[in-house]
Amino acid sequence: MAGDLDLLIGTWTVRVKGWVWEYDFRRDGGVTWRDLGSMESGVGNWAASSKLVNMWWKGSTTRESWQRPLTSDNDHTWYESSYYRGKYRIEKTGFTPPSPTPPSGPTDATLIDVAWDASRTSLRFALNRMRLLQRQIKYFEDSGGSEDAFNELRRNYRRDIAVISRKLLVPLNAMDPAFRSALASAINLVEQNLALPKSLNAARAGGKCVDPRPAFAWTTPRRKPPDTDLCTSWFTSNADLQRDVVTHEYFHTVGLGDISVNNTTDALGNANTMAQVVAFLHDRARQKNSDGNEQMIPALPTP
């Protein structure tokens, strides 16, 4: 509590019954008082214990105590004299409370940890949805095309089927061989992404981010373990985009590129397409990419 004794030093306004006095404390243990309504004044001493600041005055039997820790305006006090016994009010003169320290933003390491965890969570969720869809397709096939199996497929997997169809450029028919083949390939790619270790570097403007081409991150394709460098623009992006960039970059490690998409083979070979498949499967109400582009028209089913 030594810091509260720093607060003690200086001038205080003291109100006892109808009197208003001014006390001036010095670091050497001396204290003076003066009556603001008259010219009366005096001198005394103060001393601090672990719980109190005690005062006594020259030529007087009056004793005073202030409870510690001190605050700039309080009545945690005691006055003992022949004319008054009790609590009274004290206030530090001209005291301005220190401005609160603004909370610091998250560190680079924290942002990376959050994005990594979110990326892995979205991948696991998307993988689970695709595996369940794959099983339901097989169940429908094995049932000989039962109406119950078909209704469950439509009721529970409408969005998943639409995402796979729209993003991987296959028919909107889960029983179509092209759909089933693309689904199996997507499952395999997500499994590979999930198996990779965490290796994300806060490069900002250094490392591979010195490349003048604008990018959120850079990763050497097919290099294992990954060597992803996160650039300055990544750190100022929204959380969903940070998550999806991590997912995207790890698809580069799997072997996917940044290519134009004209058919299913291209889609399965494009890191951005696969990252968005994961995002749209995980974010059940999402209707556009996390960077705000590619609005889904018509809208995807929800949830």
Side-chain angles (χ1 to χ4, degrees):
M1 292 189 295
D4 70 327
L5 294 182
D6 290 333
L7 177 64
L8 176 69
I9 304 306
T11 304
W12 292 75
T13 300
V14 178
R15 303 176 191 277
V16 180
K17 297 183 70 176
W19 294 288
V20 181
W21 298 319
E22 189 175 82
Y23 291 3
D24 190 38
F25 291 85
R26 302 192 306 271
R27 292 190 182 277
D28 63 4
V31 57
T32 61
W33 68 269
R34 70 184 183 94
D35 190 325
L36 296 183
S38 70
M39 297 301 293
E40 291 184 284
S41 63
V43 298
N45 296 93
W46 66 270
S49 68
S50 61
K51 295 183 178 180
L52 297 171
V53 173
N54 297 305
M55 286 155 276
W56 58 97
W57 305 101
K58 184 177 180 180
S60 172
T61 59
T62 299
R63 296 291 183 267
E64 300 180 53
S65 297
W66 295 0
Q67 290 182 20
R68 299 184 66 190
L70 298 172
T71 59
S72 61
D73 186 355
N74 73 83
D75 62 354
H76 306 311
T77 59
W78 190 257
Y79 198 92
E80 189 78 35
S81 72
S82 59
Y83 50 87
Y84 177 70
R85 186 173 184 269
K87 296 169 66 174
Y88 58 101
R89 193 92 202 161
I90 61 174
E91 180 180 353
K92 182 70 180 283
T93 304
F95 177 76
T96 302
S99 300
T101 302
S104 58
T107 64
D108 286 358
T110 297
L111 290 172
I112 290 172
D113 287 345
V114 170
W116 168 259
D117 290 342
S119 169
R120 302 304 94 181
T121 296
S122 64
L123 282 160
R124 283 190 289 268
F125 183 91
L127 180 60
N128 183 58
R129 291 299 303 180
M130 290 191 291
R131 284 173 173 169
L132 289 172
L133 173 57
Q134 193 176 51
R135 290 173 193 166
Q136 188 61 33
I137 292 170
K138 184 67 166 59
Y139 173 67
F140 176 69
E141 183 179 56
D142 292 345
S143 72
S146 78
E147 184 176 352
D148 287 345
F150 178 72
N151 288 338
E152 184 174 350
L153 190 61
R154 289 189 58 189
R155 181 174 59 252
N156 295 332
Y157 299 97
R158 290 174 61 242
R159 181 179 178 87
D160 309 281
I161 293 170
V163 169
I164 297 299
S165 172
R166 195 87 58 92
K167 289 295 183 180
L168 300 184
L169 305 182
V170 292
L172 188 63
N173 175 4
M175 303 308 298
D176 188 284
F179 183 100
R180 297 175 70 174
S181 175
L183 176 61
S185 296
I187 289 173
N188 177 262
L189 290 170
V190 170
E191 288 173 338
Q192 291 183 63
N193 192 315
L194 266 173
L196 294 169
K198 181 182 179 183
S199 182
L200 301 168
N201 308 309
R204 287 192 172 266
K208 291 185 284 297
C209 296
V210 298
D211 191 307
R213 292 172 294 175
F216 294 108
W218 292 98
T219 300
T220 304
R222 296 184 178 85
R223 178 171 178 173
K224 296 179 182 179
D227 64 347
T228 300
D229 282 351
L230 300 171
C231 305
T232 300
S233 57
W234 183 88
F235 290 94
T236 58
S237 300
N238 67 71
D240 283 349
L241 183 54
Q242 290 176 336
R243 174 199 69 186
D244 295 345
V245 167
V246 171
T247 303
H248 173 121
E249 294 302 312
Y250 270 48
F251 277 124
H252 284 318
T253 301
V254 170
L256 279 58
D258 290 319
I259 60 175
S260 298
V261 175
N262 299 299
N263 53 51
T264 301
T265 300
D266 293 341
L268 289 167
N270 185 41
N272 185 58
T273 298
M274 281 305 305
Q276 293 307 320
V277 166
V278 172
F280 277 97
L281 290 177
H282 178 266
D283 303 341
R284 305 301 285 180
R286 179 176 292 282
Q287 296 295 337
K288 58 185 175 181
N289 293 355
S290 51
D291 62 3
N293 295 322
E294 297 184 28
Q295 180 74 36
M296 293 296 102
I297 300 174
L300 292 167
T302 58

